[in-house]
Amino acid sequence: MNSTEVLELVDDLIFAKTGKHLEDLQKDVLKGTIEGKTYSDIAEDSGFSESHVKNVGQELWNLLSLILGEKISKTNFKGICEKIKRQNFSSAIILGNCHTNPTANTNNINIFPVNIFPDRERYCSATLTRSPTYLENSQESKNQPQLYLAEAPKIFNFYDRSSELTTLENWILKDSSRLIALLGISGIGKTTLTLQLIKQIKTNFNYIIYRSLRFSPTLDETLTKLLKKFPQEADISQNIETKISQLLNYLNQYRCLIILDDLQMLFCSGKIAGQYQTESENYQIFFQLIAEMNHQSCLILNSREKPIEIAQLETKNNSVRSLILSNLGLGAKQILDNHKLSDEETWENLIDIYQGNPRWIEFTATMIQELFDSSVAKFLQWEKVILSESLVAELDKIFPRITQNEQTIIIQLAQENQPVTLHQIDKTVELSTSDLLNSIQSLKRRLLLDIKQEDKTTYFSLNPVLKQYVIWKEEER
Ligand SMILES: Nc1ncnc2c1ncn2[C@@H]1O[C@H](COP(=O)(O)OP(=O)(O)OP(=O)(O)O)[C@@H](O)[C@H]1O
Ligand SMILES: [Mg+2]
């Protein structure tokens, strides 16, 4: 078993037990152990003290001993992995035949290493089980859902977001929310968060389905795709109303978690935020029915813009919620750590400027690696906020979508040195009051404004990245 396979397997085991993924140093210990390195070698490679690495190693072996039901140490770990590999490959037929019982050959090791073939779960999740001993001790014994995640990107790292995960988990599992909008600017981590959420709560569902709306499918196409995932009790109707009621029946009969990602692709470009294109308008009725009809399932909508109807439904229906995803916070330090950047004392400053947006920080970290010898301090010496090519390309996708009036306001805000009130904006832009208010509301729905309350007054501003981008675009014109 190579070190990547070992890391995947151990990560899967530890996640199932603790709900947490392996940390970087734990990965270094495992990898070093497989490669026959001493603690002193691992400490030197990872930059930590030998005693700290030993402690981390010992905790890891203790946890693995608990999970596997036999004593694991640095000395026997490689041998145990080989044993797992032999058992797995002797039952490798399951790769071709998902219905073979994978628990039959577990002998004295109490796990079945499902993640040795990482993508297999997508195709035959319903039949994957772990050995009986493992199941008894595990939350996963509750349920093995049918997972339809083939369209979802794979997540490699996940940091922080524990409060957002708890909020979503409570809304879905405790409050039985039926419709949740997860909102945030591009790159803030909506897709990643929902995929992590699935890992944590999947055993509570019969079906979990992820679909992206990035190519703006019609409601009819989306319903057909969703209906095909369920056992066909009757033919899928040609009629859209019947399709909706067929789906609602399934949502009532089974507990399902459906994620529709990239919802903003159904909205008009160049119009007020959250307005559906004509051919997508009937999604509104569908979402309203999901919110109002009786069923035991939940639909999560990921979007860069808040749909207008969500705001209305939220106020009158307590099974509809929305969560705005913002700054990843100090979790973003781990992104900088992965890029092996230096000057840790300056990292918070960098994270602040780039709004804790994981994608913006990844782009910037790559630039720092390539052009600034990995030194964050050297990068921050530049007076201006620097926007890498990739970051500009990302922002270029946002701005053509906003209206002329919104652009006028954004350009004005980019020139302000301090947050300003509505009255101050009103004095500096030539817009009617209703245009001004509607445009501010729309920018708010797109999560493009920084808004703060002080002494019962609301102040608006642009974050440093958007500000620099707008100034730069204006200079270019
Ligand atoms: N909590 C996190 N931990 C580690 N990396 C993260 C986290 N959240 C996001 N990322 C990384 O940031 C990048 C953007 O995340 P993601 O695609 O989830 O954003 P998004 O909000 O869905 O963006 P979009 O609106 O473009 O779909 C990805 O590379 C992802 O790996
Ligand atoms: Mg996304």
Side-chain angles (χ1 to χ4, degrees):
M1 200 185 278
N2 65 34
S3 50
T4 313
E5 290 170 336
V6 169
L7 290 182
E8 277 183 355
L9 166 64
V10 176
D11 188 61
D12 195 41
L13 291 172
I14 290 192
F15 184 80
K17 179 81 184 168
T18 65
K20 288 187 186 154
H21 285 287
L22 282 172
E23 288 175 5
D24 286 350
L25 186 53
Q26 292 176 316
K27 288 183 192 166
D28 290 344
V29 169
L30 292 170
K31 200 163 166 281
T33 303
I34 291 291
E35 289 164 3
K37 289 182 179 168
T38 61
Y39 277 129
S40 150
D41 295 335
I42 300 170
E44 203 176 315
D45 293 348
S46 61
F48 288 94
S49 71
E50 187 177 336
S51 61
H52 180 60
V53 174
K54 265 188 188 159
N55 286 341
V56 169
Q58 197 47 57
E59 275 176 23
L60 197 54
W61 309 135
N62 291 345
L63 183 58
L64 283 172
S65 305
L66 196 77
I67 296 172
L68 296 176
E70 69 176 272
K71 179 88 186 133
I72 310 285
S73 66
K74 187 165 183 300
T75 329
N76 72 358
F77 177 66
K78 197 171 172 186
I80 295 279
C81 291
E82 291 306 322
K83 196 152 66 166
I84 291 173
K85 181 179 180 178
R86 277 197 302 279
Q87 288 175 354
N88 181 60
F89 287 145
S90 68
S91 51
I93 37 166
I94 60 146
L95 239 189
N97 176 9
C98 295
H99 299 284
T100 306
N101 177 7
T103 63
N105 203 11
T106 48
N107 297 335
N108 54 348
I109 293 179
N110 296 327
I111 57 110
F112 181 77
V114 281
N115 257 15
I116 288 171
F117 309 108
D119 285 342
R120 195 163 56 90
E121 192 177 7
R122 287 181 186 169
Y123 304 110
C124 52
S125 60
T127 52
L128 278 181
T129 49
R130 298 168 195 242
S131 80
T133 318
Y134 182 76
L135 285 173
E136 276 162 26
N137 298 331
S138 159
Q139 274 247 322
E140 298 203 11
S141 57
K142 277 181 160 176
N143 198 1
Q144 287 291 333
Q146 295 273 7
L147 287 174
Y148 292 100
L149 305 178
E151 275 187 38
K154 193 161 169 55
I155 54 170
F156 295 101
N157 294 310
F158 186 81
Y159 311 125
D160 226 328
R161 296 282 190 220
S162 45
S163 79
E164 289 89 346
L165 283 166
T166 309
T167 302
L168 290 169
E169 199 170 321
N170 283 338
W171 284 353
I172 297 170
L173 301 181
K174 287 202 184 136
D175 305 346
S176 304
S177 295
R178 291 190 284 253
L179 183 63
I180 294 173
L182 182 58
L183 309 167
I185 195 165
S186 80
I188 199 72
K190 302 176 291 296
T191 304
T192 309
L193 180 65
T194 19
L195 294 175
Q196 180 66 19
L197 178 74
I198 290 175
K199 282 193 183 183
Q200 288 188 207
I201 64 172
K202 65 182 177 187
T203 53
N204 295 277
F205 294 90
N206 305 111
Y207 287 85
I208 299 186
I209 308 171
Y210 170 97
R211 278 197 63 73
S212 166
L213 304 176
R214 70 173 73 89
F215 297 116
S216 318
T218 61
L219 177 63
D220 197 56
E221 284 162 346
T222 299
L223 289 171
T224 308
K225 291 267 185 198
L226 292 175
L227 284 168
K228 281 187 178 162
K229 304 290 186 275
F230 295 93
Q232 293 307 304
E233 284 153 17
D235 287 346
I236 296 175
S237 166
Q238 295 297 317
N239 175 290
I240 193 156
E241 260 184 84
T242 320
K243 276 185 189 172
I244 293 180
S245 69
Q246 281 178 325
L247 186 66
L248 283 166
N249 269 340
Y250 287 125
L251 300 188
N252 194 26
Q253 193 178 342
Y254 303 103
R255 190 148 200 217
C256 311
L257 179 63
I258 298 180
I259 290 100
L260 293 182
D261 204 348
D262 306 306
L263 180 76
Q264 75 279 346
M265 299 313 288
L266 302 182
F267 303 145
C268 300
S269 192
K271 291 211 175 143
I272 290 287
Q275 271 193 17
Y276 289 82
Q277 296 162 23
T278 320
E279 54 281 17
S280 301
E281 271 172 359
N282 49 6
Y283 272 95
Q284 265 180 305
I285 303 170
F286 172 55
F287 297 149
Q288 191 173 346
L289 288 168
I290 294 274
E292 291 174 351
M293 301 299 284
N294 221 357
H295 58 82
Q296 51 166 338
S297 300
C298 177
L299 172 63
I300 299 183
L301 303 172
N302 285 352
S303 178
R304 294 180 192 171
E305 296 172 22
K306 186 168 186 172
I308 293 168
E309 76 279 5
I310 292 288
Q312 290 155 2
L313 287 167
E314 232 176 341
T315 48
K316 59 175 185 170
N317 185 333
N318 59 9
S319 71
V320 180
R321 307 284 171 103
S322 64
L323 179 67
I324 296 176
L325 208 52
S326 57
N327 209 314
L328 177 59
L330 295 185
K333 280 190 174 182
Q334 303 201 45
I335 299 176
L336 304 179
D337 198 39
N338 284 348
H339 281 78
K340 305 216 176 337
L341 301 189
S342 58
D343 316 313
E344 200 172 337
E345 67 287 354
T346 61
W347 288 4
E348 278 184 42
N349 191 4
L350 185 81
I351 293 169
D352 231 33
I353 295 172
Y354 292 87
Q355 301 297 294
N357 182 312
R359 188 178 290 145
W360 295 0
I361 289 173
E362 274 172 11
F363 289 154
T364 309
T366 306
M367 187 186 223
I368 296 175
Q369 251 178 333
E370 290 172 358
L371 299 181
F372 295 86
D373 305 323
S374 300
S375 163
V376 177
K378 277 191 203 165
F379 176 79
L380 290 174
Q381 276 168 9
W382 291 73
E383 269 177 32
K384 282 187 179 170
V385 174
I386 300 174
L387 308 180
S388 69
E389 280 283 329
S390 340
L391 180 44
V392 170
E394 176 84 359
L395 299 174
D396 278 344
K397 289 183 217 149
I398 300 178
F399 280 83
R401 291 184 66 84
I402 71 179
T403 64
Q404 276 299 325
N405 290 344
E406 288 175 87
Q407 286 188 22
T408 308
I409 294 170
I410 288 267
I411 292 168
Q412 181 55 40
L413 286 177
Q415 288 161 22
E416 303 286 355
N417 292 324
Q418 287 176 2
V420 287
T421 62
L422 255 182
H423 284 296
Q424 287 168 314
I425 303 175
D426 190 25
K427 279 187 198 150
T428 46
V429 297
E430 286 181 15
L431 294 177
S432 70
T433 310
S434 75
D435 279 349
L436 173 71
L437 296 181
N438 284 328
S439 306
I440 293 273
Q441 196 179 23
S442 177
L443 286 168
K444 196 176 160 201
R445 282 205 198 109
R446 296 184 208 274
L447 294 318
L448 292 179
L449 295 182
D450 277 8
I451 303 175
K452 65 170 184 180
Q453 297 275 346
E454 244 174 53
D455 299 330
K456 295 190 181 160
T457 310
T458 310
Y459 291 89
F460 300 90
S461 59
L462 279 191
N463 72 52
V465 171
L466 296 183
K467 195 168 177 175
Q468 183 58 44
Y469 173 83
V470 174
I471 292 172
W472 181 67
K473 282 279 159 184
E474 278 304 284
E475 284 169 1
E476 255 200 343
R477 284 216 293 190

